[in-house]
């Protein structure tokens, strides 16, 4: 991972001339959880269609430090063997760069009866809440201690964890997955209510079931898990990650804005109903088949209409991860759009970058913005320098640069690399001019 790389992007201005085909990778947010689930197994597991991005590499390193063997095979599968794993101390530095590492805590606790891990966001309690994970562990019989000096949580259970009933007072993807995995090795029945229903959760749950786990209600708000009482799962079947719906959705929005025609292959259009609906509502021409989406781009920005009220929502609603990308799109749509971010507070940091290119965006409050379009996006003198604030905001500013006029630089490319694999190559194959350079 090189923290000092930037993209240099030539804007397409009025051209909107990208075209071609994008092949979607396996879903990062499913594969990461399958990697965490490897701790539940008695022998080596084989994970297929795993994308090679930085988050996957970071979690591999965390698993290796815990004593697992992790290796890419010649056929592209990732093999993970946790049978000789002994440590339960999650590496603080690595975990600090990736919140998803918290998902490992449940499987480690369920298998070894203890785990320590850094408090997310340091010791600022409440900064990145994991209260629902901790409440679940306590209900299952574990004791949670925050070592304030070391900024680590220690979670222990002298006895096997026991099944419990848990209602999530906030819908949480990671919490649902983690407590589901934890319950697989507990004793007795766990009932999880108000679960997240993201397809990545079902993808991992179905694999666990194929290897002997007993999970009912997969893909619904209530799941019941009959624990094995500690018996580890047998790696009967290999895991295969579903296509990454956020990568597919990112390219779909990009295609509508910057391409004459873009085909997105190897995806699941049925996982993108909300996004396709919003784009069609704004005037985009989209055709879908079983595993393919084709979008015909517009002749010019005036072709698209604003979206009066767009709210991010848990699946199957409009994904928060595509909120920055659709906002970049809406700068090019005619009229006023209102976007309400219901999942995260403070996911609007990238707005400043769009504003300095000329976008007309008003932040109403930490969860709501108004976008007035269409405004041309331009690299003014010295203002072509943009920053990727996180994975998805990074994609959004790249897209804004692509449909703007002038030469733009996007720094912090390592954050884009967390979730997209060599994005510059994917874009170059569509005809874009995007160079990766070492930043000064
Ligand atoms: N939350 C709590 N307490 C908890 C857990 C979560 O208050 O104990 C809150 C969070 O602070 C947040 C909300 O609940 O406000 C939803 O968080 P959730 O737990 O659902 O998110 P996550 O599991 O941490 C995953 C994805 C994110 C995606 C969200 C929402 C992974 C690795 N990450 O995060 O993906 O935004 O679900 O869909 O699966 C990305 O890929 O760029 C990304 C950020």
């Amino acid at each position: 991972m090189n923290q000092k790389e930037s993209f240099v992007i030539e804007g397409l201005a009025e051209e909107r001339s990208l075209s071609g085909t994008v092949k979607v990778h396996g879903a990062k947010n499913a594969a990461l959880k399958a990697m965490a689930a490897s701790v539940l197994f008695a022998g080596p597991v084989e994970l297929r269609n795993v994308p090679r991005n930085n988050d996957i590499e970071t979690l591999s390193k965390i698993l290796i430090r815990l004593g697992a063997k992790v290796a890419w095979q010649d056929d592209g599968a990732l093999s993970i063997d946790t049978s000789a794993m002994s440590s339960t101390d999650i590496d603080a530095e690595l975990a600090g760069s990736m919140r998803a590492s918290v998902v490992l805590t449940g499987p480690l606790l369920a298998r070894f009866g203890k785990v320590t891990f850094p408090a997310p966001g340091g010791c600022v309690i409440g900064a990145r809440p994991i209260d629902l994970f901790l409440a679940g562990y306590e209900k299952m019989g574990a004791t949670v201690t925050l070592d304030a000096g070391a900024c680590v949580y220690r979670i222990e259970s002298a006895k096997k964890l026991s099944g419990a009933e848990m209602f999530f007072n906030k819908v949480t993807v990671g919490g649902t997955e983690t407590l589901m995995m934890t319950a697989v090795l507990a004793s007795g029945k766990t009932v999880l209510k108000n679960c997240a229903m993201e397809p990545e959760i079902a993808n991992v749950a179905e694999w666990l079931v194929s290897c002997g786990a007993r999970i009912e209600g997969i893909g619904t708000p209530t799941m019941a898990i009959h624990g094995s009482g500690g018996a580890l799962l047998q790696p009967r079947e290999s895991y295969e990650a579903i296509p990454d719906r956020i990568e597919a959705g990112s390219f779909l929005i990009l295609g509508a804005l910057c391409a004459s025609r873009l085909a997105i292959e190897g995806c699941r259009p049925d996982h993108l109903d909300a996004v396709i609906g919003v784009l069609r509502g704004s005037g985009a021409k989209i055709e879908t088949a079983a595993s393919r989406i084709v979008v015909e781009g517009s002749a010019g920005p005036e072709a698209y209409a604003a979206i009066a009220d767009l709210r991010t929502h848990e699946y199957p609603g409009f994904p928060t991860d595509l909120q920055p990308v659709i906002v970049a799109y809406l700068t090019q749509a005619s009229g006023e759009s209102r976007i309400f971010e219901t999942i995260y507070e403070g996911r609007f940091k990238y707005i400043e970058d769009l504003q300095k290119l000329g976008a007309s965006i008003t932040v109403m409050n930490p969860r709501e913005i108004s976008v007035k379009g269409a405004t041309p996006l331009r690299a003014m003198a010295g203002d072509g320098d943009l920053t990727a604030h996180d994975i998805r905001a990074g994609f959004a500013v790249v897209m804004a640069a692509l449909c703007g006029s002038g030469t733009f630089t996007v720094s912090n490319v390592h954050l884009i690399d967390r979730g997209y694999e060599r994005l510059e190559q994917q874009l170059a194959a569509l005809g874009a001019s995007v160079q990766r350079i070492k930043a000064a």
Side-chain angles (χ1 to χ4, degrees):
M1 179 174 81
N2 188 335
Q3 309 223 347
K4 293 252 164 57
E5 288 181 335
S6 297
F7 282 156
V8 176
I9 300 171
E10 295 299 332
L12 297 161
E14 299 296 306
E15 285 287 305
R16 314 287 158 100
S17 55
L18 301 186
S19 72
T21 300
V22 171
K23 173 90 181 70
V24 174
H25 295 93
K28 162 182 89 76
N29 290 347
L32 286 169
K33 317 312 164 53
M35 291 171 75
S38 68
V39 173
L40 306 173
F41 283 81
V45 295
E46 207 176 61
L47 313 182
R48 303 202 165 270
N49 203 27
V50 175
R52 288 202 184 198
N53 56 45
N54 283 355
D55 273 11
I56 298 289
E57 297 303 337
T58 304
L59 192 56
S60 298
K61 284 185 197 150
I62 293 175
L63 284 163
I64 289 167
R65 294 222 180 147
L66 291 167
K69 293 197 187 93
V70 183
W72 291 99
Q73 296 173 350
D74 292 343
D75 64 358
L78 184 66
S79 98
I80 307 182
D81 185 356
T82 61
S83 51
M85 189 179 248
S86 51
S87 170
T88 53
D89 298 329
I90 296 178
D91 185 274
E93 199 188 324
L94 289 169
S97 68
M98 191 178 63
R99 178 178 158 86
S101 55
V102 72
V103 176
L104 262 177
T105 57
L108 287 168
L109 176 66
R111 176 161 163 187
F112 297 106
K114 59 179 180 163
V115 63
T116 62
F117 67 103
C123 277
V124 190
I125 313 285
R128 306 192 70 182
I130 51 164
D131 51 316
L132 300 170
F133 294 69
L134 302 180
Y137 298 151
E138 284 178 332
K139 279 205 160 180
M140 296 174 98
T143 312
V144 177
T145 331
L146 174 63
D147 178 339
C151 278
V152 293
Y153 279 105
R154 293 180 201 289
I155 308 175
E156 284 172 297
S157 169
K159 292 191 302 179
K160 238 327 104 226
L161 293 178
S162 42
E165 189 167 312
M166 169 91 187
F167 180 88
F168 293 107
N169 58 23
K170 184 162 194 179
V171 176
T172 158
V173 175
T176 300
E177 293 162 329
T178 306
L179 292 180
M180 172 187 84
M181 291 190 239
T182 311
V184 163
L185 295 191
S187 300
K189 182 177 172 186
T190 295
V191 179
L192 303 177
K193 295 185 178 171
N194 200 26
C195 292
M197 296 189 289
E198 270 62 4
E200 293 76 20
I201 305 173
N203 178 222
V204 174
E206 279 158 9
W207 172 53
L208 297 179
V209 167
S210 76
C211 296
R214 291 174 60 210
I215 306 172
E216 293 159 7
I218 294 172
T220 76
T222 303
M223 281 198 276
I225 300 108
H226 302 269
S228 70
L232 296 176
L233 297 177
Q234 295 303 322
R236 286 186 211 145
E237 301 284 341
S238 59
Y239 162 82
E240 174 146 3
I242 53 170
D244 195 316
R245 67 193 162 91
I246 304 299
E247 185 192 24
S250 304
F251 277 99
L252 176 60
I253 299 170
L254 175 105
L257 196 56
C258 306
S260 51
R261 185 176 185 277
L262 183 65
I264 299 151
E265 302 271 8
C267 62
R268 287 278 305 263
D270 57 323
H271 288 167
L272 284 163
D273 285 342
V275 181
I276 292 170
V278 162
L279 285 172
R280 280 186 175 146
S282 154
K285 290 195 201 96
I286 298 173
E287 300 286 338
T288 63
S291 61
R292 177 184 163 95
I293 309 178
V294 178
V295 57
E296 304 266 345
S298 74
E302 300 300 325
Y304 293 132
I307 304 292
D309 178 17
L310 174 59
R311 280 158 200 269
T312 61
H313 196 279
E314 294 87 7
Y315 187 84
F318 192 94
T320 173
D321 290 340
L322 291 177
Q323 177 259 108
V325 189
I326 199 78
V327 168
Y329 167 96
L330 289 170
T331 65
Q332 303 305 298
S334 301
E336 181 178 359
S337 301
R338 284 279 181 132
I339 294 89
F340 196 80
E341 171 56 63
T342 72
I343 311 290
Y344 295 107
E345 200 154 281
R347 208 176 192 182
F348 290 135
K349 284 202 203 86
Y350 67 94
I351 294 294
E352 275 184 27
D353 289 77
L354 298 184
Q355 284 167 332
K356 71 182 186 183
L357 300 184
S360 171
I361 304 177
T362 309
V363 179
M364 321 295 289
N365 61 60
R367 288 191 180 270
E368 195 176 5
I369 59 170
S370 148
V371 183
K372 290 198 182 104
T375 47
L377 302 178
R378 289 203 179 88
M380 314 285 191
D383 270 355
D385 295 346
L386 307 168
T387 305
H389 291 285
D390 63 42
I391 308 173
R392 312 302 170 186
F395 191 97
V397 293
V398 167
M399 191 174 96
L402 273 174
C403 71
S405 312
T407 304
F408 303 82
T409 307
V410 176
S411 60
N412 271 359
V413 164
H414 67 282
L415 293 181
I416 298 177
D417 291 340
R418 287 184 54 187
Y420 299 91
E421 202 177 313
R422 290 273 154 194
L423 180 61
E424 75 280 17
Q425 290 177 8
Q426 284 179 297
L427 293 171
L430 303 176
S433 168
V434 183
Q435 311 284 337
R436 183 184 288 258
I437 58 156
K438 296 244 178 288

